[in-house]
Amino acid sequence: MASSWCSPLPGRLPLLLLLLQSPSSHAGQFRVLGPERPVRALAGRPAELPCRLAPARNASGMEVGWARPPDRMVHLFRGGRDRPEEQAPEFRGRTELLPGGLAEGRAALRIRRVRPSDAGGYTCFFRDHAQHEEAALELQVEDPFHWVGPGALAGLAVLPLLLLQLAAGLLFLVLQRRLRGKLRAEIESLHRTFDPHFLRVPCWKVTLFVAVPVLGPLAALVVCYNWLHRRLAGQFLEELRNPF
């Protein structure tokens, strides 16, 4: 019986060695997981693109990055520091790797001042020596003022003036109505107290009132002309009588 138990052992030895080595061979394997839903952000506000390792492990010594297809580098962390020289120009100065998560296998990229052109697909990747794993992310940028074009801006600039003119017109109408009511009341009061015989003025008074301002200066001019004419004529006759 002992011989029958020990006889298959040499044939099973490679299988046992394989089973013993398999955990160690897969101990360094990992996967990268991203958010299940698209990341949504408002234009002009920051957006965060998270991803993590599964199973969780320290990723401080790994190369971590975010890229946009086909080959636009958004942010790269390598050798324990950020590599801004590797970034695409449109993302330079607008991204930062949030600290404190790499030790737990988590990474999050913050994009400041998100633009509508930032919307689309992204790739988050971890690289550890020969192993490279990545996960896909999607960023949706919502612009509440996407309808504001040159025409809309012109309309917004003219709208306050139109409202001001409308308010001034309404105020004028209200004041005109109130003043008209007061004027009507005063006219009615004047009609009740007015004596129509007051306007019955004699015709000679009216004629005198009109003629004096017109004929007075004319009469003064005629008198002055006659006086000057007589004086000059007298001097001329005096010179004729006494030539020397």
Side-chain angles (χ1 to χ4, degrees), residues 174-210:
V174 171
L175 294 178
Q176 185 183 28
R177 186 173 182 180
R178 293 185 62 182
L179 292 175
R180 185 179 298 174
K182 289 183 178 181
L183 183 60
R184 183 178 301 172
E186 291 180 359
I187 292 176
E188 291 177 354
S189 176
L190 184 62
H191 276 300
R192 286 194 298 268
T193 58
F194 182 70
D195 185 8
H197 298 285
F198 177 76
L199 294 178
R200 294 182 180 178
V201 182
C203 293
W204 65 270
K205 290 184 178 181
V206 175
T207 305
L208 184 63
F209 180 78
V210 175

Side-chain angles (χ1 to χ4, degrees), residues 1 8 11 15 28 82 90 95 101 107 121 146 151 166 184 196 231:
M1 185 177 292
L15 180 60
D82 297 324
E90 62 268 24
T95 63
H146 66 278
L166 181 61
R184 183 178 301 172
R231 185 175 180 180

Side-chain angles (χ1 to χ4, degrees), residues 73 75-76 78 81-89 92-93:
M73 183 60 67
H75 191 94
L76 180 63
R78 184 174 58 196
R81 66 182 184 89
D82 297 324
R83 303 287 179 169
E85 65 276 5
E86 302 286 342
Q87 285 183 291
R92 196 164 296 165

Side-chain angles (χ1 to χ4, degrees), residues 6-195:
C6 295
S7 59
L9 185 59
R12 295 181 180 180
L13 185 58
L15 180 60
L16 292 175
L17 293 176
L18 181 62
L19 292 175
L20 291 174
Q21 293 177 359
S22 59
S24 61
S25 63
H26 294 281
Q29 299 295 322
F30 59 84
R31 293 182 300 130
V32 180
L33 303 178
E36 297 179 356
R37 298 181 179 179
V39 179
R40 303 175 64 182
L42 289 176
R45 305 291 297 175
E48 294 184 6
L49 303 179
C51 56
R52 60 186 177 88
L53 291 177
R57 56 180 296 184
N58 190 351
S60 301
M62 295 186 182
E63 180 178 333
V64 185
W66 285 260
R68 295 198 70 179
D71 56 354
R72 307 292 289 177
M73 183 60 67
V74 179
H75 191 94
L76 180 63
F77 177 84
R78 184 174 58 196
R81 66 182 184 89
D82 297 324
R83 303 287 179 169
E85 65 276 5
E86 302 286 342
Q87 285 183 291
E90 62 268 24
F91 291 100
R92 196 164 296 165
R94 293 198 300 129
T95 63
E96 63 172 326
L97 179 63
L98 298 182
L102 290 178
E104 291 80 21
R106 294 180 289 104
L109 177 69
R110 175 177 292 168
I111 303 177
R112 296 185 293 267
R113 302 183 303 276
V114 172
R115 306 167 182 172
S117 59
D118 295 336
Y122 289 78
T123 299
C124 173
F125 65 87
F126 285 76
R127 182 179 290 115
D128 186 19
H129 302 292
Q131 185 177 2
H132 176 97
E133 299 293 336
E134 61 185 31
L137 303 89
E138 183 181 357
L139 176 61
Q140 295 180 353
V141 180
E142 300 177 358
D143 187 4
F145 301 101
H146 66 278
W147 52 271
V148 179
L153 290 177
L156 291 176
V158 174
L159 184 60
L161 298 177
L162 295 178
L163 293 177
L164 182 61
Q165 291 182 355
L166 181 61
L170 292 176
L171 180 62
F172 174 76
L173 292 177
V174 171
L175 294 178
Q176 185 183 28
R177 186 173 182 180
R178 293 185 62 182
L179 292 175
R180 185 179 298 174
K182 289 183 178 181
L183 183 60
R184 183 178 301 172
E186 291 180 359
I187 292 176
E188 291 177 354
S189 176
L190 184 62
H191 276 300
R192 286 194 298 268
T193 58
F194 182 70
D195 185 8

